[in-house]
Amino acid sequence: MKKIKVLVLMLILVTLLDGCGNTSNEASENTQAATTSSKNETASEEAGLNESEDQNTLENAGSNVLIAYFSRIGNIDSEHEIDAVSSASVVTQGENILGNMEYMAELIRDVTGGDIHFIETSKQYPSEYDSSDNNELDVYVNKENRENARPELATHVENMDDYDVVFLGFPNWYGDMPMAVYSFLDEYDLSGKKIYLFNSSGGGGPRDAYSKTSGLEPDAEVEKNIFSVSHSQVAQLTDQDMQDWLSEIGYGN
């Protein structure tokens, strides 16, 4: 009788131990499953972060692009006297007055995401409205051209090495680039960079801007197809016009 009781007790003990073992295994499996799930969630979050970082990289892809421009607006000493209605050098947007080249530079920035740099001279130019015969600016600029002057610049690009692409904009002054643009090209070695020119004029176009820019930056790749438009047409330009030009010249390919 005692032997039977002992056997019964042993069977009960074995059953209890087996149940504990199963519970332990289930707990272990649950822990492993939770760990695996946590790892998967972490991996998913990291993938999402990487995807976000990649998207940011794409959105900031234009950060290696510099859009430098020279404009009469911002470089004359009586800007407040400009007649925004009749002046061919400005674009009006509501209460804002933009120079032609500033407006074109902003359109290019819209498409490329580049950084804008305004080429400003240390000594401002006289306003063409400051004299009775209305030609003081013309006389000054004509003298600069004859002397092949290099006006001192007040603004500088501190991180030029960071840029692979340079858009350079300018109006025609006496059938040439403004002398301040030559100062800009003299200041920087643009070797290895791609240079794209954009221009506004009274109808004469950019003239020999390509050959002169290539001569000053012989180790840069200067695009021959210059975006040029007459002063009177600048205000009608849109982002799509810039996109069409960039597609035409194979920008980004």
Side-chain angles (χ1 to χ4, degrees):
M1 189 68 178
K2 290 183 179 179
K3 290 182 179 180
I4 293 173
K5 290 182 178 180
V6 171
L7 288 173
V8 171
L9 289 173
M10 290 180 65
L11 287 172
I12 293 172
L13 181 61
V14 169
T15 300
L16 291 173
L17 290 174
D18 184 58
C20 290
N22 289 337
T23 302
S24 176
N25 289 337
E26 288 173 1
S28 176
E29 289 173 359
N30 289 338
T31 301
Q32 291 176 357
T35 302
T36 301
S37 176
S38 177
K39 288 181 178 179
N40 288 338
E41 289 176 2
T42 301
S44 178
E45 290 174 359
E46 290 177 350
L49 289 174
N50 290 336
E51 183 178 350
S52 177
E53 290 173 357
D54 290 343
Q55 183 63 33
N56 288 336
T57 299
L58 290 173
E59 290 175 354
N60 296 326
S63 60
N64 69 329
V65 176
L66 179 70
I67 307 162
Y69 74 94
F70 175 87
S71 175
R72 179 173 70 89
I73 308 304
N75 271 307
I76 62 174
D77 61 11
S78 297
E79 185 175 341
H80 62 282
E81 295 185 20
I82 293 174
D83 183 347
V85 176
S86 62
S87 176
S89 299
V90 301
V91 175
T92 57
Q93 294 182 322
E95 297 180 355
N96 296 325
I97 299 177
L98 305 178
N100 281 346
M101 303 315 302
E102 179 182 8
Y103 178 70
M104 294 173 72
E106 290 191 356
L107 292 180
I108 294 174
R109 178 177 60 184
D110 290 344
V111 177
T112 67
D115 300 328
I116 289 184
H117 171 74
F118 175 52
I119 301 174
E120 182 179 359
T121 55
S122 296
K123 180 180 179 181
Q124 291 190 311
Y125 289 87
S127 169
E128 59 189 289
Y129 301 104
D130 283 347
S131 60
S132 58
D133 58 2
N134 226 30
N135 68 357
E136 187 175 351
L137 178 62
D138 288 344
V139 171
Y140 191 96
V141 170
N142 191 18
K143 182 174 182 293
E144 263 195 351
N145 283 28
R146 290 197 313 271
E147 296 175 352
N148 197 29
R150 294 292 185 271
E152 180 183 356
L153 301 183
T155 55
H156 307 276
V157 181
E158 302 297 336
N159 58 330
M160 183 61 82
D161 289 343
D162 294 344
Y163 299 105
D164 301 319
V165 175
V166 176
F167 287 87
L168 182 59
F170 53 89
N172 271 21
W173 276 16
Y174 273 85
D176 199 351
M177 296 187 294
M179 294 296 105
V181 175
Y182 287 96
S183 295
F184 177 86
L185 291 171
D186 284 349
E187 182 171 346
Y188 304 103
D189 179 5
L190 303 182
S191 297
K193 303 183 189 298
K194 292 184 178 180
I195 302 177
Y196 300 93
L197 305 176
F198 60 103
N199 159 266
S200 70
S201 72
R207 303 291 176 90
D208 52 359
Y210 165 75
S211 60
K212 289 187 175 181
T213 303
S214 298
L216 290 170
E217 300 290 348
D219 296 319
E221 182 181 341
V222 184
E223 170 60 44
K224 290 184 178 181
N225 186 337
I226 300 172
F227 189 95
S228 183
V229 64
S230 67
H231 299 318
S232 61
Q233 295 176 335
V234 171
Q236 283 74 53
L237 292 175
T238 65
D239 290 349
Q240 187 59 53
D241 293 311
M242 290 301 177
Q243 183 62 68
D244 291 344
W245 170 54
L246 295 177
S247 297
E248 180 182 338
I249 62 180
Y251 172 79
N253 295 339

